[in-house]
Amino acid sequence: SSDERKTIIESSFEYIEYKGKVMMDKTRKGVRVNNGPRAENQFWYFEDVGTAYVGHQQASIPSPYNCFFCREVGLGQRHLLETYDLKKREYLCTTSMSAELSFLVANFAHARPGTLVFDPFAGSASLLISAAHFGSYTMGADIDIRVLRGKEKDQARPSHCKFARSLKEVEIGPFHNFRQYGLNPPDLVRCDNANPVWGRSNIFDSVVCDPPYGVRAGAKKTGSNKEVKPIPDEKRATHIPGTVPYHITDVLTDLLDFGVKYLKVGGRLCYWLPTTSEYRPDDLPKHSCMRLMYDCEDVLSLKLSRRLITMQKIKDCMDGEKSVCTLTEAGLAPAHESFYDTYWGGGDQSGTERGGEDPQGEKVKKQKIKEKRKQKKELLNRNNAPSIVGVESQPGVATVPGSECPDPTIKSGTPDDH
């Protein structure tokens, strides 16, 4: 029985000579029960019985394959997921990252008091919220000024929001989230990751980000496909430069170069990489000053996944050193370049060659959305069409039995002919 087995387990540790008083605290699976005291040192005993025990009765417990006796060094903080749940957050955007994944990034980045954490694709600052919770000073940047500025409530539909045109019209923004949780607000800057604006190097302790990859938001960088015109002096203060598509491979190489230049030695770069089942370690851009520490996969489907990449700066960079992707140098395409088309059900990157006007497949996406809307409209028309039972046919057109629509190829005569 389970009681007999428990007695055997307890007696098997009699040979251990504990120094000091042993206190059995009132806990259940390491969690306090009725606010009871918690022992200074917690020890755990685990038995690995494999999968054969699943669904069996207590009397049929097999002999364990392995036994583990461990000392507890720390517990998780799962309660934070409820506190920082996106459903309870005041300001959200389409790319806001969940609380669980945000805290994972903060842990890998070693966010802690006295450190400076920067997000070059901040958006609604979800990653910076988790870093600020652990005491880090935070900074963020984004090329889309609308996201950083915030939203205004739609007076006609109070439950809806739209991006504000000026700071005076903002009713809710990224700073509201930090105020909601009682955290120190970040410094937010509108700038371009492809053209850094920082005047000095070795600034940040950690760089964390979730780069845009074209599904919910396309990557953009400063530029123009049209003829550049001079900016009038009276509009320079409020002028926002135009943008062009930013290829995902260029995003990653620029991000690695950014980390090499602006991270302190020993600092960490943590970013999410969207990829497919064809992923290989050579897909990642590399630099002699950066060391790959962790490559963790978050499976999305059989074909798609995203990986949390953690790299550490090991030395300062010499002038002229740039990050490279060995596959790109060899003329091959990394797996993340086909993520967009695989996500939308395509295979190869049709019409989205690198360097074109639409490297993120915006034309393909718009065409697919247009086709889906057309199919939905046709389906609604069929569902709303009148039944043929008891419905008078249109003049000059006969109704085909078994169909909800009139057949224009069958002509009918006058009512007198029937």
Side-chain angles (χ1 to χ4, degrees):
S1 66
S2 59
D3 293 337
E4 294 175 350
R5 189 167 184 79
K6 183 178 179 181
T7 303
I8 296 174
I9 293 174
E10 292 177 350
S11 61
S12 61
F13 295 103
E14 292 180 351
Y15 68 93
I16 300 178
E17 296 182 0
Y18 289 105
K19 296 182 179 180
K21 181 180 179 182
V22 177
M23 180 179 62
M24 302 299 292
D25 59 353
K26 298 179 181 179
T27 61
R28 178 179 175 82
K29 296 183 179 180
V31 180
R32 293 185 184 182
V33 178
N34 298 328
N35 297 323
R38 199 162 195 277
E40 182 178 352
N41 294 286
Q42 293 280 337
F43 294 91
W44 294 75
Y45 174 74
F46 300 95
E47 290 186 350
D48 178 12
V49 295
T51 58
Y53 176 61
V54 177
H56 287 245
Q57 300 296 326
Q58 290 286 342
S60 59
I61 299 177
S63 300
Y65 297 105
N66 291 294
C67 301
F68 304 93
F69 183 68
C70 316
R71 179 177 178 268
E72 178 187 296
V73 295
L75 291 176
Q77 302 183 56
R78 302 291 297 181
H79 64 280
L80 295 179
L81 302 185
E82 182 178 356
T83 303
Y84 290 90
D85 189 4
L86 292 183
K87 297 179 181 179
K88 304 177 182 179
R89 193 167 297 180
E90 294 185 4
Y91 178 65
L92 292 176
C93 294
T94 55
T95 57
S96 297
M97 178 157 284
S98 66
E100 184 172 12
L101 298 182
S102 297
F103 278 107
L104 281 176
V105 175
N107 283 329
F108 277 94
H110 281 187
R112 60 194 185 279
T115 59
L116 177 58
V117 178
F118 177 71
D119 184 355
F121 304 96
S124 61
S126 297
L127 294 179
L128 297 181
I129 288 176
S130 58
H133 171 82
F134 291 123
S136 295
Y137 182 77
T138 56
M139 293 184 64
D142 203 288
I143 197 170
D144 191 349
I145 186 63
R146 301 173 304 167
V147 179
L148 297 179
R149 184 189 293 137
K151 297 181 179 181
E152 60 175 318
K153 295 290 182 67
D154 191 342
Q155 300 298 331
R157 297 181 297 175
S159 61
H160 291 69
C161 296
K162 58 182 179 180
F163 287 114
R165 293 180 177 271
S166 66
L167 289 175
K168 296 181 180 179
E169 300 174 353
V170 173
E171 295 187 21
I172 186 171
F175 296 107
H176 288 74
N177 292 336
F178 287 81
R179 195 177 303 119
Q180 176 185 355
Y181 300 122
L183 303 174
N184 292 326
D187 289 331
L188 299 179
V189 183
R190 191 276 178 191
C191 63
D192 184 6
N193 180 65
N195 301 281
V197 298
W198 313 104
R200 51 173 294 186
S201 57
N202 299 340
I203 306 175
F204 307 111
D205 296 284
S206 301
V207 174
V208 298
C209 65
D210 179 26
Y213 38 89
V215 175
R216 295 184 178 179
K220 301 288 184 181
K221 64 179 179 180
T222 303
S224 176
N225 294 324
K226 303 178 182 178
E227 182 181 357
V228 180
K229 299 180 180 180
I231 304 171
D233 293 337
E234 63 273 12
K235 295 184 178 181
R236 282 184 176 274
T238 57
H239 173 71
I240 301 298
T243 59
V244 294
Y246 196 9
H247 196 272
I248 181 63
T249 300
D250 297 332
V251 172
L252 297 180
T253 53
D254 289 346
L255 179 62
L256 192 57
D257 289 334
F258 182 92
V260 169
K261 184 174 182 180
Y262 296 104
L263 274 174
K264 299 178 180 178
V265 175
R268 293 192 173 193
L269 169 63
C270 302
Y271 66 93
W272 287 98
L273 173 68
T275 186
T276 67
S277 57
E278 303 298 326
Y279 170 81
R280 293 162 291 184
D282 290 337
D283 290 351
L284 299 176
K286 296 178 176 60
H287 198 286
S288 60
C289 298
M290 300 293 287
R291 175 171 62 94
L292 178 64
M293 300 188 67
Y294 307 106
D295 182 354
C296 306
E297 183 180 21
D298 177 23
V299 178
L300 303 177
S301 66
L302 293 177
K303 296 183 179 180
L304 301 174
S305 65
R306 55 185 173 186
R307 311 184 78 92
L308 179 56
I309 309 299
T310 304
M311 308 185 78
Q312 185 179 42
K313 183 177 177 180
I314 56 177
K315 62 179 181 179
D316 286 323
C317 178
M318 302 294 292
D319 293 338
E321 285 189 84
K322 295 289 184 179
S323 59
V324 295
C325 179
T326 55
L327 285 182
T328 305
E329 294 291 325
L332 302 176
H336 50 260
E337 289 195 2
S338 61
F339 179 87
Y340 179 90
D341 293 304
T342 305
Y343 179 88
W344 288 102
D348 299 330
Q349 293 194 21
S350 57
T352 58
E353 293 297 330
R354 183 180 181 185
E357 295 182 358
D358 195 19
Q360 290 295 334
E362 293 294 335
K363 295 180 180 179
V364 178
K365 177 181 177 180
K366 291 179 180 178
Q367 183 64 26
K368 289 181 179 292
I369 294 175
K370 190 174 181 180
E371 292 176 357
K372 289 183 178 180
R373 288 177 177 174
K374 184 178 179 181
Q375 294 174 0
K376 185 177 180 180
K377 186 176 181 181
E378 292 177 352
L379 180 61
L380 290 175
N381 290 338
R382 288 199 300 267
N383 293 338
N384 295 331
S387 175
I388 63 172
V389 180
V391 177
E392 193 175 278
S393 301
Q394 300 177 10
V397 180
T399 304
V400 180
S403 173
E404 297 177 350
C405 302
D407 187 356
T409 61
I410 303 178
K411 299 295 182 179
S412 62
T414 61
D416 299 334
D417 297 335
H418 292 283

